[in-house]
Amino acid sequence: MSYLQVKKEIERGDVRRLYFMYGTQSFLMEDLVQSIIKHTVGSQDDANIITYSLQDTPLEIAVEEVETIPFFGGEKIVIIKDFSLVTSQKQEGKVEHDVSRLEQYIERPSPDAVLILLSPYEKLDERKKITKALKQKATAVECAPFDEQMTGQWLDEQATSKGFSFSKDGKERLLERVGPQLLLLASEMDKLALYVGENGEVDAAVIDLLVARSLEQDVFALIDFAIKQRIDEALVIYHDLLKQKEEPLKLLALIARQLRIYYQVKELSRRSYSQKQMATQLKIHPYVVKLASQQVNRFDDQQLLGLLESAADTDYAIKTGKMDKVLAVELLLMKLANLRNG
């Protein structure tokens, strides 16, 4: 099941007995755990919430805990972190685990407890018996990066829960400013809710007023202004970043990374890859692919390869002391602006 489906179930009060959460988005796992706590025991400080890590605790001890009747009555929540037994990676430390105890528990979970297994790993070993059993018998939740549609839906639901709404341009501007990182987006929501008030609407003007761009988004805007031959605006962003103590070499690396993404997206587009397939192939967020796709037609292949070579030459010139680092990056931006864009 998806994060959004499970979240809705929990919010309705439909809390299952066994959850298996896996994927790279630990923020989503933590959000679901907090929702489960809220709709069962009610408080994070409740004595019936017990957390273990498989790095230092045998699995069978955690299973015994979840099978034990709560001392203070009510429901018990047992959380097992670092549940790596569903992966092919070697176990850290010398703790041995009796997986059969969990396999037995899965068949007959306790009606008085909620067991939550957290596996913050990119890949599962689908050949393992325990992996198959959990995917079949538990509420398995893939906590993977959202695509653009899911991110938009998540933002709308977060806004509704906080009593405000987004205009279309407001939501798009927020994503432009912050990017697709859910943890950063979540940190902006309370601020937006407080500013617009109950039943208020967040539009692009509100985002411009309250939300600062991330470094990656600043670099994207910097390149965007340069290739549109608005070099003055590009240089304003560049020098603002320098005032914020950002290193020219770091900015150069981010510029080169963005240009590399443009080249890769252009090549994959030529091979008729969808944006989702590109994101998977390049291991970047689909929203990053979407933004890159809007820019790549401004370049031909030779221009992009030439710019990547210029970025490498700039890096070499700075590191060998042949050029001042601030000036060297400025010259690269000017080279971007001087391209004959289509």
Side-chain angles (χ1 to χ4, degrees):
M1 297 179 71
S2 73
Y3 158 85
L4 292 173
Q5 291 173 311
V6 175
K7 177 79 171 181
K8 285 180 180 179
E9 279 190 0
I10 296 169
E11 294 295 328
R12 292 196 306 264
D14 183 8
V15 178
R16 310 289 183 91
R17 298 296 96 188
L18 177 58
Y19 290 93
F20 169 46
M21 304 180 192
Y22 61 95
T24 58
Q25 299 298 297
S26 297
F27 167 73
L28 297 181
M29 295 184 191
E30 181 60 26
D31 185 58
L32 289 176
V33 168
Q34 293 305 316
S35 290
I36 292 168
I37 290 172
K38 177 182 175 183
H39 288 86
T40 50
V41 298
S43 170
Q44 178 69 50
D45 299 324
D46 194 288
N48 283 333
I49 302 173
I50 302 99
T51 301
Y52 296 100
S53 168
L54 287 196
Q55 292 185 4
D56 52 34
T57 304
L59 175 62
E60 54 270 26
I61 290 180
V63 175
E64 287 173 9
E65 180 65 57
V66 77
E67 290 176 330
T68 304
I69 296 173
F71 184 76
F72 297 102
E75 289 192 273
K76 177 189 286 186
I77 295 177
V78 176
I79 303 165
I80 302 179
K81 294 184 175 181
D82 308 306
F83 188 74
S84 57
L85 301 177
V86 288
T87 72
S88 56
Q89 70 180 44
K90 293 182 179 180
Q91 304 301 309
E92 295 183 10
K94 298 181 179 179
V95 180
E96 294 186 2
H97 303 285
D98 183 0
V99 182
S100 65
R101 288 287 285 110
L102 179 60
E103 291 171 349
Q104 294 167 12
Y105 180 83
I106 290 171
E107 296 299 325
R108 297 183 64 184
S110 169
D112 300 313
V114 178
L115 176 59
I116 305 172
L117 307 171
L118 303 180
S119 297
Y121 310 105
E122 184 175 1
K123 291 184 179 180
L124 302 181
D125 188 341
E126 303 285 354
R127 300 166 300 177
K128 288 192 171 184
K129 182 181 177 182
I130 187 62
T131 307
K132 293 176 182 178
L134 285 169
K135 283 203 163 185
Q136 290 172 1
K137 301 293 179 67
T139 299
V141 191
E142 183 178 11
C143 296
F146 286 173
D147 59 21
E148 183 184 1
Q149 181 179 354
M150 290 180 68
T151 303
Q153 185 180 345
W154 180 81
L155 282 172
D156 285 334
E157 291 181 356
Q158 289 289 306
T160 299
S161 70
K162 296 179 185 300
F164 71 93
S165 62
F166 282 106
S167 68
K168 182 179 179 182
D169 67 342
K171 189 159 53 175
E172 289 178 351
R173 186 63 57 84
L174 179 61
L175 285 168
E176 288 172 8
R177 282 290 172 99
V178 179
Q181 301 176 71
L182 296 183
L183 186 58
L184 295 179
L185 288 169
S187 70
E188 299 291 343
M189 301 301 283
D190 288 335
K191 181 169 59 178
L192 295 173
L194 185 63
Y195 183 81
V196 299
E198 187 73 22
N199 298 319
E201 183 180 70
V202 171
D203 58 17
V206 173
I207 299 299
D208 288 342
L209 180 65
L210 296 180
V211 180
R213 278 192 298 250
S214 66
L215 176 57
E216 287 76 11
Q217 293 302 309
D218 271 326
V219 169
F220 181 87
L222 184 149
I223 295 173
D224 186 47
F225 282 134
I227 62 179
K228 290 177 179 175
Q229 298 181 325
R230 294 159 64 180
I231 189 62
D232 289 346
E233 291 167 275
L235 291 176
V236 165
I237 294 176
Y238 175 52
H239 284 281
D240 281 346
L241 291 171
L242 294 179
K243 290 176 184 176
Q244 295 168 28
K245 307 299 183 184
E246 295 293 350
E247 256 298 319
L249 273 171
K250 180 180 179 181
L251 298 177
L252 174 61
L254 289 171
I255 291 170
R257 175 182 180 271
Q258 191 65 48
L259 293 171
R260 196 175 301 112
I261 289 172
Y262 287 168
Y263 183 80
Q264 292 167 327
V265 166
K266 190 174 183 68
E267 176 61 27
L268 292 176
S269 179
R270 190 159 41 234
R271 299 182 192 178
S272 300
Y273 278 60
S274 68
Q275 291 187 6
K276 185 175 183 180
Q277 289 171 325
M278 292 182 202
T280 301
Q281 181 78 13
L282 301 176
K283 296 185 178 180
I284 58 178
H285 196 279
Y287 188 74
V288 176
V289 173
K290 178 187 176 184
L291 293 179
S293 298
Q294 295 169 355
Q295 300 286 10
V296 294
N297 289 333
R298 296 177 178 273
F299 307 94
D300 61 38
D301 289 354
Q302 290 306 311
Q303 285 175 325
L304 281 170
L305 288 172
L307 288 169
L308 284 167
E309 187 176 345
S310 295
D313 291 342
T314 301
D315 182 75
Y316 179 78
I318 292 172
K319 290 179 178 176
T320 56
K322 293 180 179 179
M323 291 187 70
D324 174 76
K325 57 186 178 181
V326 173
L327 176 61
V329 177
E330 279 188 6
L331 292 175
L332 179 63
L333 291 173
M334 290 177 184
K335 188 166 186 175
L336 265 170
N338 288 331
L339 286 176
R340 300 173 69 89
N341 298 317

